Amino acid sequence: QVPLVESGGGLAQAGGSLRLSCAASGLTFKTAAMGWFRQAPGKERNFVAAINWNGGSTVYADSVKTRFTISRDNAKNTVYLQMNSLKPEDTAVYYCAARTGDSYYNTATKSEDFGAWGQGTQVTVST
């Protein structure tokens, strides 16, 4: 298990930016792919972005592809989600997750491929 703690959520206006951070403990962070998911009220948890173990490969949901950027700093055991041009429909609880199991170092988009989760951070975008 890789304990994860998200931070950086809050309130932003439409068109604004926020940067989420996810701090991980444990040596396995450096070899694990990481992802961000989000869950809006009354809706299922959806994939947002993922990054492989060394940052060389990323994947995004179509809805955020040109606006969000995922990155990681393995020296700091931290993964980031830079969110620009925010829209009200981006409002959700954002969760950081670490891959576990087979091919844990590669990106994935399904929540069942991620075995460790943070507690979530609320992002609210106003009009």
Side-chain angles (χ1 to χ4, degrees), residues 12-71:
Q13 290 189 329
S17 298
L18 285 173
R19 189 194 196 200
L20 305 183
S21 298
C22 173
S25 60
L27 295 177
T28 55
F29 171 85
K30 293 177 172 55
T31 59
M34 301 293 296
W36 287 96
F37 290 76
R38 66 187 182 186
Q39 187 169 20
K43 296 187 178 181
E44 63 183 17
R45 187 176 300 185
N46 289 324
F47 170 77
V48 175
I51 188 167
N52 76 330
W53 71 279
N54 67 355
S57 177
T58 58
V59 61
Y60 296 92
D62 288 343
S63 59
V64 307
K65 190 172 294 185
T66 61
R67 302 182 295 120
F68 291 8
T69 302
I70 188 172
S71 61

